Amino acid sequence: MQNGGARTAVALLMLFAVAASLLVVRHAAAQVAHPATAASALTEQDFSRMLPAMTAQAATNADDSNPHAAPLPASALTTGDFKRMLPRTDMRSDADANAHPHAHAFIDAGAATSFDGAPIAKNPLAPDAIAIGAKSCVACHALENVQASHSLHVQAFRAGAAGTGAAAACESCHGPGSAHAKDPTKPGLIIAFTRDAKAPIDAQAGVCLACHKGGARQDWIGSVHQQHQLSCTDCHNPMARLSPEGVLAKNSINQVCATCHQDIRDKFNRRSHMPLPEGQMSCVDCHNPHGTLSADLIKTDTVNETCYACHAEKRGPFLFEHAPVRKDCLTCHDPHGSNQQALLVLPVPMLCQQCHTMTGHPNDLLTRAGLATGPAPDERLMGRACLTCHTNIHGSNNPSGSRFHK
Amino acid sequence: MRKMLITSLAIAIAASLAGPRAFADSSDSARVGDIQYGNALDPTGWAPLLWADPRGFSWLHAGMMRTPSGVLYAYPPQRDDKSSPLYKNSDWVYSGFLQLGYLHLGGDTHAEFFRQYAGWKSGMALGLFALYADNPKTGQYVEFRGSRLSGGDQYYRLRAGQYGSYRIEAFYRNIPHDVTTNAYPLWNGIGSTNLTLPAPLVPGGSTPAEVAAVDKTRTRQTIGLTRRREGLSFEDNFYRDWTGYVSIVNEKRTGDRLWGGPMYLNYILPDNGGALETARPIDFTTTDVSIGLRDVGAIWQFQLAYTGSFFRDHKNELDYQSPFALRNVAGVPQVANIYQGQFSLEPDNDYHNLRAELSRSLKWNGQLSLAAAWGTMRQNDPLLPPVTCTGTGGIFVSPSADFTFNCADWNTSAALSQQTANARIDTGLLDAKITLHPFPKFGWHAGLRWYREDNRTNYLAFNPLTGQYGYIAENGSQGSIIPGQIGIFDPRNPLYSSYVTQVRAIPFGYTYTVFDTGIDWRVSEHNTLNLTYSFDRDQPKYRERKLVNEQRIKLSWVDRALGKGTLRLDYEFAYRNGGPYDYDPYEPFYSTALPGFVTPPLGNVAFTTDAMRKYDLSNRIEHKLHATLIYPIGDTATISAIAYATRDDYGAAIGRQATRNRGFDLSWDWQPSPLTSISANLGRDDSSLNFSNVADNEDITGAPGRDDPSLGGPLFPLANQWQSLDHERDYNAGLTLRHDFGRVRADLSYTYTYALGKIGYVFASPGALPITQQPFVDAAGNAFPDNHYHINTLQLGFDIAFSRMFGMRVFDIFETGSFADWHYLGLQDNLVIDHRIYTDLGPQPHYSANLVGVMLNVKL
């Protein structure tokens, strides 16, 4: 059966290799076939080709007065082009509308969700820009709109818009879009959250925290991830649904964390490990990446309290305690993974003998002579070693258990 | 029919929860546990829905954008652009996915590492059932996700609510954990609280040969457990900025685990004593309750949370029988039934924690946070009697050396000073933190944290029936082999008035205070420096040191424009020292502190050497270096690399002396188009740990000098010193490849893990060894056989689309591994070695297992 399994795997591997050999050819074709993989420098013709709906609408918009008239920097397209291409905003464009884009959200009994009242982010790089509404954004960002529609984040904004009419949904995060609409290729006129963003990391995080502050993120400021200049969008991508929940930038929490913490990911491949590779647990079960009051982003006041959340039997308190156990589980265990049994940081009895030098049997040097194959088998070495007798090592509730024998 | 079912599910939950709300925010990342739902077949819990949309993300630019750090975002998964309405003219729309099929296992499917946390089973399996319905007009939604590999490995979770308003969540899941699949327990009653010997073995009257004969008939078993968890939670933004939540989670944990069974040392007394590897039952119930309230205002943020956890162990003890006879080394043989062992299993416990946290936004983009928490953990389980034997235990040497004890004086709870444990630990936390950014390029933060763990347990080991202190060691076996080593102190009896034994529980506790401050300086648009200083003061109670201080400086540099990449570089230096080191701080809890204790003329044998330094309290100098580089390659690839090194030096002649760790990881991710993605990673980690110990000179324990704790003294001569050298090396590699051929999509993944463990040792003379005769010294060598752990896992799958709605997935997972651990070396030949009985053969030395699956995919 073992050989059968191997043969099956080899056969499938060969099949895959054949298929993969077609990949390069297909990839070359894909570069042509898929607009998304075409060259990035856009010409006016490109724009017209890609946005047929907009160009078709250009005629009907030709006589519209542009409410956002302002000097325009040089770009591939002229102001007139954009005037013609963008649909008329369905938002009011006066100053009050931008200051209070959803003034009626909390008044109307029909308000759908709190997203009706989402504020518009301020973009310090475009201080005079005003909101133009999602309809205008989507005119160009059509596919983004489609993909983002599957994200819970955008669905929520959409529901908000459904409650109160036209909304600055996109601009709640990206800031007012008028300046960007006039000069779409100039960086910084819209708040971006990607590698090339001109907005500082803190400013990016500030946009997210405008709605998401408090709760799990109450200690974001000063946290190790904040200090290391991580933006929310290093871990999250609210523009697509890549994960079951959490609008993550990758498919799971563990994958997101492993982007930087590859060494920790590797530990989960070791002999004993928490069940992260098996999908039963995530890093965020124990750590809050948004910041905590405790070291190492542990969620609870101490490491032990986090461990007790699953290992409640270890909580005790016991009649007889083992000092390092009570203080810190990490004295003996590596919670991420270990090459020893039960996540131990060293094999027993060596683990114990680092501290236990007491007179009597603990302080002998145990060697290979004491293995079951040696001339003097020794129970301190074989199987569970010390734990064969000192079994209740996490604490004993037995009146005769001071040495954890009972 | 299908739509009716879906409609019923969606409407029934959502309709009852309708209603307008203001902001709400779920806080999964603040909750411990049940964040992730997946299994070994699909660790993401979402894999079938992750094939990328061939259109990519944008018409406006090629490829995907990168995260601020430079990692490429994944292409968005392909979805139907429009969801189906639940019924005609309904505002509710839905989408869903069902993957159902058959798994077939082959090869060594019981291999421990193949199924450690995976409930693989040949038969029907539910890969994924995902259903999502929402009402775009009201923002209400219902979401369900479930998977089932087997009865012991399944999850189902339902969420419903309204965006930004409220959420209700219910889940049910089973998580397997096979501890060993290679167990051969000797006893009857595995899984119960009473392990009895199979016929024809006689408790306390069987020879190793007789036990070994029965051993041949043992059958292979799996020792493991299943966690069955179910929970319900509700969170609601009930008034403006105020959100409340409540959750209850119940876990039933059942199964068994490897356990022990002492009947005193065998190594020093051949054909005597007993060391038994047994198995204990797991029958736990834990109920966790969380109730909280928070206010998130523009200036103030406030949280109040109560967490309660109530653990119940439905099996409070484990009784086991030892087959071996014990022989007293002097005097008249004991007559009691010293073959019955007993363990107290974990007591029930209650835990409460109340926590309040208040933050206020300050000028200069600052924040002040204050937090306070109080907690308590308590248990008051009835205490078991000190022994279970009947008759007379111990040893009668002569009328003036009568070291016997009457079991009846110790085998009832009347022998205890208190009937229940009455154990309690209270905790307290105060935390203050302030952060200010007076200038755009400059920030400052400082924090002060105080935490105390106050152990209020007070137990005196006093037997009111006999007026004696202490306990009966190792089920009475020790005192029935070695005259006088019963474990009791009696100031009225000269035989026991000098006996050193523990008579009180030690209420370990500590107070931990941390002050930290630091600055953030944005040197340039893309360069940031952080400098943090922290001072930790640990004040443990009843430990070798009453005061341990650690100062730590951490310097971080983030360069977000290193070429095209992002570099994060951290260096830490820490220095730990503290107050005087007391090598024996436990004396107040031993009989030596009781009135009537008579110090022997030669003094008490030194507890340990005064050169010992326990590594959680000893002086330490630490250096840590960690670098992370994320570097874009072109528009479609990314290289990520990390390198790290840690060096710890402890100020200990005896104890842990040094650790070293260094390693690197290198990853390459390439997604040339939505149709193709490839990633590969390679890593290596090296670590070492050295410690030293010293064997006591057993010739001196009855002679002058036995009370001398000094290293190099008569009891701990330098000639008996030894050193252990542990070195581990790990290699990791992986490759994943996905390609969309159109109607057929293929995925391949390969994972390689190799860990090598070496333990060497050096010793000054044979005095360090338990047996000093030359043949045994010669056999000692200078190292244990190497340990290794070597796993290769290959997975290959094809997704074939028949239509928009129907498709199929065919996949194969092939895993092969090899393993060696000297703990188990030789046990394959015999699980009974003199008076030792082993249950676990250890993980399989070699295995290969194969899993084939054929699944039907249905888009709903």
Side-chain angles (χ1 to χ4, degrees):
Chain A
M1 196 63 204
Q2 295 177 32
N3 292 336
R7 280 197 298 272
T8 306
V10 170
L12 289 172
L13 186 59
M14 290 177 64
L15 182 59
F16 192 91
V18 172
S21 65
L22 301 173
L23 188 152
V24 175
V25 176
R26 290 293 299 263
H27 170 56
Q31 291 283 2
V32 176
H34 294 273
T37 59
S40 59
L42 294 174
T43 65
E44 187 169 359
Q45 289 73 24
D46 293 331
F47 223 82
S48 300
R49 179 169 51 80
M50 291 191 295
L51 299 170
M54 289 163 48
T55 51
Q57 196 173 13
T60 57
N61 287 343
D63 297 327
D64 289 346
S65 61
N66 187 343
H68 316 308
L72 288 174
S75 69
L77 298 174
T78 66
T79 304
D81 292 333
F82 286 105
K83 273 178 62 178
R84 287 192 304 277
M85 292 161 58
L86 284 175
R88 189 206 308 260
T89 178
D90 55 359
M91 287 185 63
R92 292 175 299 142
S93 56
D94 54 88
D96 181 64
N98 276 272
H100 307 287
H102 313 283
H104 58 298
F106 293 108
I107 300 170
D108 289 358
T113 74
S114 56
F115 292 84
D116 289 14
I120 295 175
K122 288 183 170 54
N123 182 3
L125 300 178
D128 299 326
I130 59 173
I132 57 175
K135 184 179 175 184
S136 301
C137 307
V138 167
C140 292
H141 297 280
L143 189 52
E144 289 92 326
N145 177 54
V146 170
Q147 303 297 8
S149 297
H150 302 296
S151 158
L152 182 143
H153 199 258
V154 172
Q155 284 169 340
F157 275 110
R158 193 154 294 161
T164 56
C170 311
E171 291 154 301
S172 295
C173 299
H174 292 285
S178 65
H180 170 69
K182 293 171 191 169
D183 192 356
T185 59
K186 181 179 180 182
L189 297 184
I190 203 80
I191 301 175
F193 300 86
T194 52
R195 176 69 180 168
D196 300 323
K198 293 299 176 189
I201 296 294
D202 290 345
Q204 295 176 28
V207 170
C208 304
L209 290 172
C211 293
H212 292 285
K213 69 181 175 183
R217 291 153 299 278
Q218 188 153 335
D219 299 304
W220 168 255
I221 294 179
S223 70
V224 65
H225 284 154
Q226 190 255 344
Q227 289 181 352
H228 278 73
Q229 292 286 293
L230 264 82
S231 174
C232 305
T233 51
D234 273 310
C235 303
H236 298 279
N237 179 4
M239 295 298 288
R241 189 168 191 185
L242 293 164
S243 59
E245 52 256 340
V247 289
L248 300 173
K250 293 193 174 181
N251 304 142
S252 69
I253 292 168
N254 299 338
Q255 290 180 17
V256 169
C257 300
T259 305
C260 294
H261 301 283
Q262 300 166 32
D263 51 334
I264 304 298
R265 176 201 59 195
D266 290 347
K267 282 192 171 184
F268 289 108
N269 289 335
R270 293 183 178 179
R271 169 192 171 186
S272 60
H273 56 264
M274 291 286 177
L276 275 79
E278 293 84 358
Q280 308 279 11
M281 247 185 104
S282 79
C283 309
V284 178
D285 276 299
C286 299
H287 302 278
N288 178 359
H290 304 111
T292 69
L293 293 177
S294 305
D296 298 325
L297 300 176
I298 288 290
K299 288 182 174 180
T300 56
D301 294 343
T302 64
V303 167
N304 283 25
E305 283 194 19
T306 295
C307 302
Y308 297 153
C310 288
H311 303 281
E313 77 277 10
K314 305 288 192 301
R315 182 186 293 132
F318 299 99
L319 209 57
F320 294 103
E321 298 277 5
H322 191 180
V325 174
R326 172 53 61 190
K327 177 78 177 289
D328 189 348
C329 303
L330 305 188
T331 308
C332 299
H333 299 280
D334 185 330
H336 300 126
S338 149
N339 289 319
Q340 321 306 331
Q341 58 155 320
L343 300 170
L344 295 176
V345 296
L346 262 187
V348 281
M350 293 78 194
L351 174 73
C352 311
Q353 288 184 308
Q354 292 179 92
C355 291
H356 291 283
T357 57
M358 284 87 84
T359 310
H361 72 273
N363 57 24
D364 290 333
L365 170 61
L366 302 173
T367 67
R368 61 190 304 154
L371 298 176
T373 51
D378 196 318
E379 62 272 20
R380 294 173 292 176
L381 205 54
M382 296 182 289
R384 293 164 54 81
C386 310
L387 303 175
T388 309
C389 297
H390 303 278
T391 312
N392 254 330
I393 200 65
H394 294 106
S396 171
N397 215 44
N398 193 288
S400 295
S402 73
R403 295 185 180 183
F404 316 118
H405 289 127
K406 289 273 284 184
Chain B
M1 184 65 188
R2 191 185 70 220
K3 287 192 173 181
M4 284 181 62
L5 283 173
I6 296 165
T7 305
S8 303
L9 180 66
I11 299 300
I13 295 167
S16 63
L17 300 170
R21 300 292 195 283
F23 271 105
D25 166 51
S26 60
S27 294
D28 288 351
S29 53
R31 187 183 68 198
V32 178
D34 299 310
I35 304 293
Q36 168 75 20
Y37 294 83
N39 53 37
L41 180 64
D42 176 10
T44 66
W46 200 239
L49 301 171
L50 290 174
W51 285 101
D53 187 333
R55 296 174 298 178
F57 179 69
S58 174
W59 301 126
L60 303 178
H61 59 82
M64 287 301 294
M65 292 198 173
R66 294 180 180 274
T67 68
S69 293
V71 177
L72 277 168
Y73 285 112
Y75 281 97
Q78 186 170 24
R79 300 279 192 278
D80 289 338
D81 288 350
K82 289 186 178 179
S83 302
S84 307
L86 270 176
Y87 52 87
K88 192 175 181 182
N89 298 326
S90 170
D91 289 338
W92 283 80
V93 295
Y94 79 95
S95 60
F97 184 83
L98 173 68
Q99 185 182 72
L100 187 68
Y102 184 83
L103 304 180
H104 177 74
L105 298 173
D108 304 316
T109 54
H110 287 286
E112 178 180 326
F113 297 129
F114 184 62
R115 55 186 317 121
Q116 194 171 16
Y117 295 109
W120 299 121
K121 187 178 178 183
S122 287
M124 296 296 291
L126 174 66
L128 177 67
F129 177 46
L131 184 65
Y132 184 81
D134 79 326
N135 184 332
K137 290 186 176 175
T138 63
Q140 291 168 300
Y141 65 93
V142 177
E143 186 180 71
F144 178 83
R145 198 152 59 91
S147 181
R148 185 183 193 277
L149 297 187
S150 61
D153 191 350
Q154 56 184 329
Y155 68 83
Y156 309 96
R157 197 197 57 182
L158 178 69
R159 275 182 172 179
Q162 187 179 30
Y163 301 129
S165 178
Y166 69 91
R167 188 177 79 182
I168 187 168
E169 180 175 322
F171 74 86
Y172 174 92
R173 68 191 306 183
N174 287 341
I175 303 173
H177 181 191
D178 283 355
V179 177
T180 174
T181 60
N182 214 7
Y184 293 83
L186 174 71
W187 291 266
N188 296 325
I190 294 296
S192 75
T193 58
N194 192 19
L195 303 183
T196 58
L197 292 167
L201 298 180
V202 177
S206 305
T207 65
E210 290 169 336
V211 178
V214 174
D215 173 50
K216 305 294 183 193
T217 66
R218 296 199 231 178
T219 55
R220 180 177 175 178
Q221 293 184 28
T222 291
I223 300 283
L225 56 91
T226 301
R227 299 169 61 193
R228 190 195 78 201
R229 292 174 68 83
E230 56 254 337
L232 191 63
S233 66
F234 179 64
E235 180 172 311
D236 186 29
N237 178 203
F238 60 91
Y239 177 69
R240 291 188 178 271
D241 300 329
W242 289 85
T243 301
Y245 63 89
V246 59
S247 77
I248 182 166
V249 176
N250 190 70
E251 176 178 301
K252 178 72 175 168
R253 193 177 293 209
T254 53
D256 34 39
R257 291 201 76 143
L258 295 168
W259 203 241
M263 283 291 173
Y264 200 55
L265 299 167
N266 181 215
Y267 83 92
I268 203 167
L269 300 165
D271 197 27
N272 208 344
L276 318 174
E277 185 178 43
T278 61
R280 57 159 289 180
I282 302 289
D283 190 2
F284 303 157
T285 302
T286 308
T287 303
D288 296 322
V289 178
S290 296
I291 302 171
L293 186 68
R294 64 173 171 269
D295 173 43
V296 181
I299 303 296
W300 292 94
Q301 298 166 49
F302 171 72
Q303 292 192 78
L304 181 66
Y306 164 78
T307 305
S309 178
F310 307 94
F311 168 78
R312 299 292 177 266
D313 188 348
H314 303 292
K315 293 188 169 64
N316 294 324
E317 62 186 74
L318 175 69
D319 295 288
Y320 60 92
Q321 295 176 332
S322 170
F324 302 118
L326 306 180
R327 303 177 210 291
N328 45 300
V329 298
V332 179
Q334 51 88 16
V335 294
N337 54 342
I338 309 292
Y339 51 74
Q340 187 70 44
Q342 186 178 61
F343 279 103
S344 290
L345 300 181
E346 295 86 352
D348 298 349
N349 67 64
D350 293 346
Y351 168 72
H352 307 274
N353 186 282
L354 190 63
R355 180 189 184 95
E357 195 172 344
L358 182 69
S359 299
R360 189 190 192 286
S361 298
L362 302 175
K363 284 183 177 178
W364 298 338
N365 194 22
Q367 180 172 285
L368 172 68
S369 294
L370 302 171
W374 175 84
T376 186
M377 8 188 170
R378 304 175 184 187
Q379 64 99 356
N380 199 22
D381 259 21
L383 299 177
L384 295 174
V387 291
T388 56
C389 65
T390 55
T392 301
I395 300 167
F396 179 85
V397 178
S398 68
S400 61
D402 181 357
F403 294 103
T404 60
F405 62 91
N406 187 354
C407 289
D409 289 336
W410 295 89
N411 65 9
T412 68
S413 58
L416 303 174
S417 62
Q418 62 191 61
Q419 298 301 302
T420 58
N422 195 24
R424 172 178 172 178
I425 293 176
D426 292 342
T427 64
L429 170 74
L430 294 172
D431 193 289
K433 189 168 67 177
I434 186 170
T435 305
L436 295 172
H437 290 84
F439 309 105
K441 292 185 175 181
F442 181 79
W444 169 78
H445 62 87
L448 184 64
R449 177 187 177 88
W450 176 89
Y451 177 81
R452 171 170 289 175
E453 202 163 289
D454 183 15
N455 190 333
R456 300 186 172 196
T457 308
N458 182 15
Y459 173 74
L460 175 66
F462 174 72
N463 184 341
L465 297 179
T466 64
Q468 294 171 320
Y469 297 85
Y471 57 95
I472 305 296
E474 294 198 49
N475 305 300
S477 62
Q478 185 172 349
S480 298
I481 294 174
I482 311 293
Q485 292 198 7
I486 298 172
I488 57 176
F489 164 75
D490 188 344
R492 302 159 307 173
N493 185 341
L495 292 175
Y496 302 119
S497 61
S498 297
Y499 192 77
V500 179
T501 188
Q502 187 171 344
V503 296
R504 280 186 186 280
I506 307 176
F508 296 112
Y510 64 98
T511 302
Y512 193 60
T513 311
V514 186
F515 166 75
D516 70 274
T517 185
I519 55 170
D520 311 329
W521 178 31
R522 195 187 301 160
V523 181
S524 65
E525 183 183 353
H526 295 293
N527 281 272
T528 307
L529 283 174
N530 304 102
L531 180 65
T532 303
Y533 166 80
S534 68
F535 180 82
D536 302 359
R537 168 164 289 195
D538 182 15
Q539 295 168 283
K541 289 176 76 174
Y542 314 117
R543 292 297 309 277
E544 287 76 4
R545 267 181 157 168
K546 291 183 169 56
L547 177 66
V548 179
N549 295 326
E550 184 164 67
Q551 299 182 76
R552 184 174 293 270
I553 292 177
K554 182 175 181 180
L555 181 64
S556 302
W557 172 38
V558 180
D559 185 341
R560 300 185 59 249
L562 188 76
K564 299 175 182 176
T566 297
L567 174 71
R568 293 186 170 93
L569 188 64
D570 297 295
Y571 169 71
E572 280 183 72
F573 171 76
Y575 176 70
R576 188 169 75 186
N577 63 0
Y581 193 93
D582 178 1
Y583 72 94
D584 184 10
Y586 311 119
E587 193 166 334
F589 304 93
Y590 276 69
S591 53
T592 48
L594 288 178
F597 181 86
V598 178
T599 303
L602 294 175
N604 293 317
V605 177
F607 176 66
T608 186
T609 171
D610 61 3
M612 171 64 200
R613 296 292 181 268
K614 293 188 175 177
Y615 63 91
D616 60 333
L617 302 171
S618 63
N619 291 353
R620 183 179 67 180
I621 295 174
E622 182 175 85
H623 299 268
K624 277 186 176 179
L625 190 64
H626 194 284
T628 305
L629 176 68
I630 296 171
Y631 201 86
I633 304 294
D635 294 330
T636 58
T638 311
I639 285 182
S640 308
I642 68 163
Y644 52 90
T646 302
R647 176 190 177 109
D648 287 302
D649 290 297
Y650 296 79
I654 300 294
R656 183 185 287 187
Q657 295 178 320
T659 65
R660 302 283 186 268
N661 178 227
R662 65 178 186 274
F664 75 90
D665 271 277
L666 194 61
S667 297
W668 171 69
D669 297 282
W670 184 42
Q671 48 183 40
S673 79
L675 305 178
T676 306
S677 65
I678 301 174
S679 66
N681 68 281
L682 177 69
R684 173 175 165 161
D685 179 281
D686 284 86
S687 63
S688 64
L689 189 153
N690 299 346
F691 75 90
S692 183
N693 205 324
V694 55
D696 57 278
N697 180 3
E698 291 171 3
D699 295 337
I700 210 79
T701 54
R706 70 177 193 171
D707 57 346
D708 185 351
S710 57
L711 180 64
L715 185 60
F716 297 107
L718 290 172
N720 288 9
Q721 191 173 355
W722 54 272
Q723 194 169 38
S724 174
L725 316 161
D726 172 78
H727 183 217
E728 290 183 15
R729 180 177 300 163
D730 295 85
Y731 298 95
N732 289 277
L735 173 71
T736 62
L737 201 159
R738 293 163 67 91
H739 186 68
D740 183 346
F741 291 96
R743 191 169 287 276
V744 177
R745 296 158 167 172
D747 60 277
L748 169 77
S749 73
Y750 170 68
T751 306
Y752 171 85
T753 300
Y754 180 71
L756 178 67
K758 291 175 175 287
I759 291 196
Y761 38 82
V762 293
F763 49 99
S765 78
L769 304 174
I771 303 174
T772 55
Q773 287 91 337
Q774 199 57 45
F776 297 101
V777 175
D778 293 341
N782 59 8
F784 287 99
D786 292 348
N787 289 343
H788 79 261
Y789 171 73
H790 188 189
I791 304 288
N792 288 275
T793 307
L794 179 68
Q795 178 170 345
L796 178 61
F798 296 94
D799 281 67
I800 304 150
F802 300 135
S803 66
R804 190 205 71 82
M805 192 169 179
F806 293 102
M808 185 175 80
R809 175 166 173 78
V810 184
F811 67 95
D812 185 276
I813 301 173
F814 177 71
E815 183 170 297
T816 179
S818 66
F819 175 81
D821 182 343
W822 45 258
H823 289 92
Y824 306 103
L825 199 61
L827 298 186
Q828 294 85 350
D829 303 324
N830 199 349
L831 284 167
V832 180
I833 302 170
D834 199 3
H835 278 216
R836 309 173 190 92
I837 299 173
Y838 293 92
T839 294
D840 184 18
L841 270 181
Q844 287 73 9
H846 300 279
Y847 75 92
S848 61
N850 197 64
L851 170 68
V852 178
V854 180
M855 315 293 279
L856 174 68
N857 295 339
V858 182
K859 276 187 184 176
L860 301 175

